[in-house]
Amino acid sequence: MTAAMYCARGGKQTLVLGNIYGSQQSMGGLYENYPGFPDGIQGIELSERMLAQAQKYGAENQTEQVEKIVHLGDFFRLKTENWQYEARAVILAMGAGHRLMGVPGEMELTGRGVSYCVHCDGALFRNKAVAVVGYGNGAARAVIYLANICAKVHLLTAREALVAEAVYLERIKGLSNYVPTFGAEITKIQGDQFVTGIEFNARNSPRSLKVDGVFVEMGMKPNKELAESLGLETTPGGFVKVNRLNQETSMPGVFAAGDLTGGRLQVATAVGTGASAGISALQYLG
Ligand SMILES: Cc1cc2nc3c(=O)[nH]c(=O)nc-3n(C[C@H](O)[C@H](O)[C@H](O)COP(=O)(O)OP(=O)(O)OC[C@H]3O[C@@H](n4cnc5c(N)ncnc54)[C@H](O)[C@@H]3O)c2cc1C
């Protein structure tokens, strides 16, 4: 949306394809570290404001998923389920999705106790016991959020410590209903209709916990299918490879920004790379 705002404001006919409510940004809850909002801003409000700003300068939004992009000489054809569009330049910003645990019960019980979004589903587990599986800032934020709602919050992490920003670790220290288990490898989610527990190996011994919810915070993987089918180069980590000076990809006329290109995976960096990609697209179009 930042890239679209720059392109529209730069006088180009600009189309945003995709649904802003399906973004990580909209699902992120309260953002306390996006500059300009000392009291924080809710992700959905930020998304709506960004789209409104792009639209103010003439950008249009169609809430369609792009299924394929084809390179046809000096333009690109973008196919959605019902329609197709042509563009002389394309800026890819499909973001990233959640990494899965990949254990039995995960897929079957997703939406029935297994969740990837504390801000969406946390309130369903009021006064219940839940497990957060993961590490890093995502897991730390999930623990802090859930500890205000749930009776008990277990952290199960394969690592030997929770590695997160100091501000989060400090808040976690003060929680009385937080129980961490380090060196835990998840093996199964228990439950028939709904989650009833979680099984794991800790220091090579099989263990289990009775929980009503499992929140997965295992990091992100880029939504790179469109980029791959276009034949763009990727990094060893699987992100779309860009020139960090201008967000150019390996294909002239295609730029990329945000989580799709790896790095810090933050709103502020997505906005920064989006601005750079937008300016580069304007220069490319002349
Ligand atoms: C729970 C949570 C908490 C977070 N906390 C913070 C925080 O405190 N601070 C911070 O800076 N960041 C935080 N983040 C990360 C931040 O939200 C992301 O880094 C940021 O949203 C990345 O922006 P993006 O535009 O690259 O991707 P997204 O925001 O994910 O947007 C990608 C968009 O592309 C669309 N899309 C994907 N595929 C297609 C397709 N084929 N066709 C059309 N559209 C498509 C999606 O629907 C979506 O609208 C958090 C994220 C989550 C989930």
Side-chain angles (χ1 to χ4, degrees):
M1 288 183 285
T2 307
M5 192 259 288
Y6 271 77
C7 290
R9 203 160 168 271
K12 298 299 174 195
Q13 196 181 0
T14 305
L15 176 65
V16 180
L17 285 166
N19 186 343
I20 64 163
Y21 298 106
S23 63
Q24 295 293 311
Q25 182 171 295
S26 292
M27 288 186 273
L30 186 69
Y31 288 88
E32 294 178 345
N33 53 9
Y34 186 67
F37 299 92
D39 299 323
I41 181 163
Q42 288 292 338
I44 289 178
E45 185 185 353
L46 188 58
S47 296
E48 288 173 343
R49 280 174 171 267
M50 284 183 178
L51 182 61
Q53 195 169 353
Q55 286 174 325
K56 176 180 162 186
Y57 295 106
E60 291 175 40
N61 175 217
Q62 296 291 350
T63 57
E64 297 165 48
Q65 286 288 110
V66 178
E67 294 180 343
K68 194 160 187 190
I69 306 176
V70 188
H71 186 200
L72 295 164
D74 61 352
F75 71 97
F76 299 87
R77 182 167 292 147
L78 295 93
K79 296 185 178 173
T80 65
E81 193 186 2
N82 301 317
W83 210 247
Q84 55 186 28
Y85 301 89
E86 285 173 5
R88 282 170 53 224
V90 177
I91 298 170
L92 301 176
M94 289 90 73
H98 297 278
R99 283 192 201 283
L100 306 184
M101 294 182 289
V103 298
E106 179 177 19
M107 301 301 282
E108 298 85 333
L109 293 164
T110 293
R112 298 164 175 268
V114 174
S115 169
Y116 301 84
C117 178
V118 289
H119 297 99
C120 317
D121 300 331
L124 302 172
F125 299 90
R126 190 166 294 281
N127 298 326
K128 295 186 172 175
V130 296
V132 173
V133 177
Y135 48 83
N137 280 334
R141 281 178 49 125
V143 165
I144 294 164
Y145 184 84
L146 292 167
N148 271 322
I149 300 171
C150 304
K152 190 165 269 187
V153 181
H154 296 274
L155 172 72
L156 299 174
T157 177
R159 307 212 171 161
E160 291 307 318
L162 181 57
V163 182
E165 283 176 34
V167 61
Y168 297 140
L169 296 177
E170 200 53 41
R171 284 183 209 169
I172 286 175
K173 264 192 213 162
L175 301 176
S176 57
N177 55 349
Y178 161 67
V179 188
T181 302
F182 298 105
E185 298 282 354
I186 312 304
T187 52
K188 187 180 174 183
I189 309 298
Q190 299 171 333
D192 183 13
Q193 289 291 310
F194 295 97
V195 168
T196 54
I198 184 164
E199 294 178 17
F200 55 98
N201 288 323
R203 313 212 192 291
N204 295 326
S205 320
R207 287 179 54 188
S208 66
L209 287 170
K210 280 194 184 332
V211 290
D212 302 292
V214 174
F215 287 88
V216 185
E217 293 287 346
M218 307 266 295
M220 312 298 292
K221 63 174 172 33
N223 298 322
K224 59 176 179 178
E225 293 76 10
L226 290 175
E228 273 179 342
S229 69
L230 250 182
L232 300 186
E233 278 181 38
T234 54
T235 68
F239 293 91
V240 172
K241 191 169 174 185
V242 288
N243 176 346
R244 279 295 180 203
L245 294 176
N246 53 22
Q247 300 303 119
E248 281 175 2
T249 67
S250 55
M251 183 175 284
V254 182
F255 307 85
D259 283 5
L260 182 67
T261 61
R264 298 297 180 208
L265 309 191
Q266 294 283 290
V267 172
T269 50
V271 164
T273 54
S276 177
I279 294 168
S280 297
L282 286 176
Q283 288 176 348
Y284 172 81
L285 293 169

